[in-house]
Amino acid sequence: MHRNAVKSTLSTDFLWVLLWLGVLLSALISRPPFPIDETRYLSVAWEMWHNQQFLVPHINGIPYSHKPPLLFWLIHAGWALFGVNAWSARLTAPFFGLFSILLTVRLAKVLWPDQPKWHRNIPYLMLGTCFWALYATLTMFDMLIGFFALLAWLGLWKGKEGKQLLCWLSYGGATALGLLAKGPIILLYILPPALLAPWWMEEKDNFSWFRWYGGLLGATGVGIILALAWAIPAAQAGGKEYGQAILFGQTAGRIVHSFAHQRPWYWYIFLLPALLFPWSFFPPAWSSIRKRQLTPPDKFCLSIILPGFILLSMISGKQVHYLLPLAHPVLLLLNNEDARGNTSAFPFRFLLPTMLFFFALALFILPFLSLKGNDGQMLQFLPPWLGLGPLMIAIILLRTNRTSGQSVSRISSLLVALLIFFQLALSPQLNIRYGATDIVKELHRAQNDKREIAVCPAKLADQFQFAGRLARSVAPLKNLEEAVSWSMQHPKGLVLLFSNREIASFFAQQNALTPRPYKNKWLVIVPADSLTNSYIRWTQR
């Protein structure tokens, strides 16, 4: 009996590693990098590597001020070991997701050292959160930020235990690395709990708050200075406009009046149920939070969540993945002994299966609807049998009759299996819609033949540098009129045209070409010497 219990515990402890591997490998196998973010970041890394320019990130020959260079440097480290390739670059950010799971478990252990059952649940709570699991496979900056935020939070709790030197070393290092990963946004996650320490710390004799805030000021200052050791030389090397952008413009612009992703202050509130799915529909966890008395660990998590959420809501530019670092303390609060009630009772036993059933029904119906618009037409590429995945998971969940503590790993495993199913089932369409393999090969071949390349519209000018291993910049063109003018000046060049199906098909037909779907529109490469005549025919229709 004891042997069976130990075996069950070990399988529960390590099953999550297989789940993480399954999500990651299925993502890498089933799909190319997603535009516009993943393709852009890989292109920035490639351009830095190809030009041996590691101080200032560049994209399409222009200094790239939107992000600091840490992720790109880490990708370069992989390329230094394994050569330039896609797989090591695409593994870089996801590995920080794995490390974040381990650090979240560690944080749970120091906050609640007498609750080993809670610690085993943490990886399943994170992987079962579909929003977090999906983003954990992407080449983006948020897994790095979450990891560095966890380092800072662990350091702060060590400071509560009296280990001040370790506290501020961890905090200062996390500040520096977070600034180099994504800029000052790291401070929104780690500064509030440090400032609110008197609220979440237990009363202690002879505890010096002057020393605490002095340490906070010193650690933050050291972290900023370390980040400036890159930023100041980069600002000088990148020029005045780049220097102003990385030192002032990006932060001020995003906070006051974002140049992109402007959304109302309440936008995140409406998204929360979806972002925390399925745990947002897990009544035992939420009811236990209402009943519990706040302890220092609970207050510590709340000192991260509440100020962070409010500050992110106040910032003009909003993206769902900005909330990812806050998922760690939220799930820590949801993971508690009071939430281990019986989930065989209504409503939870039927709530999640019912939602999955209606999701399956929608997937069965969508491919047969006559949807308007480019985004709507993309849904028609869904295979009609895709709804079988959530339908099967719903049936399995209905047969579940376990305590919520046992159900966490089971539910997470089923949802991870569903995510893997979706990725593999959609692989053919994902590669058709986002791969553009033949287009990329043609661009690479054209540059080898010393032919100039232009991209219309300009928003795609930073998308194909890595995939095509392009060695020279492409010309960004705003519209067809600019494309005609450029073609007259570069008659041997090529124009990569991204437009709706009607325009792409017309230009392709005029030049005996084949257009390719890409994202929600179509791509076609048009020889410059024939584009003018094709444009004239188009305008005379």
Side-chain angles (χ1 to χ4, degrees):
M1 188 75 176
H2 175 70
R3 182 181 299 176
N4 290 335
V6 171
K7 187 175 180 180
S8 176
T9 299
L10 288 175
S11 63
T12 302
D13 285 346
F14 295 105
L15 173 63
W16 70 266
V17 179
L18 297 178
L19 296 177
W20 175 82
L21 280 172
V23 170
L24 178 59
L25 294 179
S26 63
L28 295 181
I29 293 170
S30 63
R31 63 169 180 83
F34 279 141
I36 57 174
D37 290 326
E38 283 193 288
T39 45
R40 176 184 295 140
Y41 301 147
L42 290 173
S43 290
V44 173
W46 159 251
E47 195 155 326
M48 293 175 71
W49 177 269
H50 176 74
N51 296 323
Q52 295 294 289
Q53 168 57 271
F54 300 109
L55 182 62
V56 179
H58 279 71
I59 184 64
N60 201 34
I62 300 172
Y64 181 69
S65 61
H66 290 244
K67 297 293 186 295
L70 182 59
L71 175 60
F72 311 132
W73 288 344
L74 293 170
I75 291 173
H76 296 155
W79 287 347
L81 291 173
F82 306 109
V84 176
N85 63 82
W87 65 266
S88 70
R90 295 180 65 190
L91 282 174
T92 304
F95 267 115
F96 279 87
L98 172 63
F99 301 148
S100 294
I101 294 176
L102 297 173
L103 280 190
T104 307
V105 173
R106 178 59 186 163
L107 184 58
K109 288 181 177 179
V110 300
L111 293 177
W112 295 281
D114 56 343
Q115 297 291 346
K117 292 181 180 179
W118 297 14
H119 312 154
R120 289 195 290 271
N121 267 354
I122 290 296
Y124 296 99
L125 282 167
M126 295 181 68
L127 289 169
T129 306
C130 300
F131 164 61
W132 190 93
L134 177 62
Y135 271 90
T137 67
L138 300 178
T139 301
M140 297 182 72
F141 300 84
D142 305 280
M143 291 298 114
L144 278 70
I145 288 293
F147 175 79
F148 298 136
L150 284 162
L151 280 180
W153 299 333
L154 279 166
L156 290 175
W157 195 260
K158 289 297 181 183
K160 171 189 176 297
E161 297 174 349
K163 301 175 182 178
Q164 295 278 318
L165 179 60
L166 180 60
C167 164
W168 301 123
L169 283 176
S170 299
Y171 191 91
T175 300
L177 292 169
L179 289 170
L180 288 173
K182 204 179 177 182
I185 194 172
I186 184 66
L187 298 177
L188 298 184
Y189 307 113
I190 66 175
L191 196 54
L195 293 174
L196 295 174
W199 180 59
W200 53 262
M201 274 196 188
E202 294 173 328
E203 292 293 333
K204 289 191 173 185
D205 296 333
N206 302 321
F207 190 87
S208 172
W209 289 112
F210 179 80
R211 184 181 176 187
W212 174 268
Y213 286 110
L216 172 61
L217 181 63
T220 305
V222 169
I224 293 173
I225 290 171
L226 290 174
L228 288 175
W230 162 77
I232 292 176
Q236 294 173 342
K240 182 179 179 181
E241 185 177 346
Y242 175 77
Q244 289 180 342
I246 63 170
L247 294 174
F248 310 107
Q250 290 297 313
T251 302
R254 290 183 189 273
I255 292 176
V256 179
H257 187 71
S258 176
F259 50 81
H261 317 308
Q262 292 187 51
R263 294 179 173 105
W265 64 268
Y266 51 82
W267 188 68
Y268 285 134
I269 297 175
F270 289 112
L271 290 177
L272 279 179
L275 299 184
L276 290 175
F277 180 86
W279 316 121
S280 47
F281 302 95
F282 191 61
W286 295 104
S287 62
S288 68
I289 288 179
R290 292 196 302 268
K291 296 175 184 177
R292 67 196 294 177
Q293 294 182 345
L294 290 180
T295 61
D298 300 326
K299 291 181 178 179
F300 179 72
C301 292
L302 288 173
S303 73
I304 300 168
I305 299 165
L306 296 179
F309 186 83
I310 292 170
L311 291 171
L312 288 171
S313 297
M314 292 171 60
I315 292 175
S316 175
K318 296 179 180 66
Q319 289 280 66
V320 292
H321 49 85
Y322 296 171
L323 294 179
L324 281 168
L326 298 183
H328 307 285
V330 169
L331 294 178
L332 285 174
L333 282 184
L334 293 182
N335 183 43
N336 54 75
E337 189 66 28
D338 292 336
R340 299 173 66 84
N342 191 342
T343 58
S344 63
F346 186 85
F348 182 69
R349 184 180 178 186
F350 299 101
L351 181 59
L352 183 57
T354 301
M355 296 178 67
L356 288 171
F357 172 78
F358 281 108
F359 181 42
L361 185 62
L363 290 177
F364 285 132
I365 295 173
L366 279 173
F368 300 101
L369 297 180
S370 180
L371 301 171
K372 303 295 183 182
N374 294 317
D375 292 329
Q377 291 176 5
M378 287 181 68
L379 297 176
Q380 295 178 347
F381 284 88
L382 297 177
W385 46 265
L386 192 63
L388 290 175
L391 180 61
M392 292 300 298
I393 300 300
I395 293 172
I396 295 172
L397 284 173
L398 283 173
R399 296 174 61 86
T400 300
N401 184 15
R402 295 171 179 265
T403 66
S404 68
Q406 294 168 322
S407 293
V408 166
S409 60
R410 184 180 180 86
I411 293 168
S412 295
S413 300
L414 290 171
L415 291 178
V416 167
L418 180 60
L419 181 56
I420 294 171
F421 167 78
F422 278 151
Q423 293 184 142
L424 296 177
L426 292 173
S427 179
Q429 293 302 330
L430 289 173
N431 281 281
I432 290 173
R433 304 299 300 188
Y434 300 105
T437 304
D438 53 345
I439 296 287
V440 166
K441 289 180 179 178
E442 183 64 26
L443 295 178
H444 181 76
R445 185 162 45 248
Q447 284 221 338
N448 286 344
D449 294 339
K450 309 299 182 185
R451 302 177 71 179
E452 296 295 324
I453 298 172
V455 177
C456 177
K459 64 182 180 181
L460 255 67
D462 60 1
Q463 293 294 294
F464 302 104
Q465 279 76 5
F466 174 70
R469 304 297 194 271
L470 302 184
R472 301 190 308 278
S473 301
V474 301
L477 307 175
K478 294 180 181 178
N479 48 48
L480 279 173
E481 288 76 12
E482 275 197 16
V484 170
S485 177
W486 182 91
S487 297
M488 296 174 67
Q489 300 172 28
H490 305 84
K492 294 183 179 181
L494 296 176
V495 176
L496 178 62
L497 184 61
F498 177 67
S499 63
N500 61 43
R501 185 169 188 172
E502 183 182 7
I503 295 176
S505 298
F506 180 86
F507 278 81
Q509 185 178 12
Q510 298 298 308
N511 298 278
L513 302 171
T514 303
R516 291 288 182 265
Y518 187 72
K519 292 182 64 181
N520 58 350
K521 293 187 180 181
W522 291 75
L523 283 176
V524 62
I525 293 181
V526 183
D529 57 5
S530 64
L531 187 139
T532 300
N533 290 333
S534 299
Y535 177 73
I536 292 173
R537 293 191 186 97
W538 171 257
T539 56
Q540 291 177 346
R541 292 178 65 207

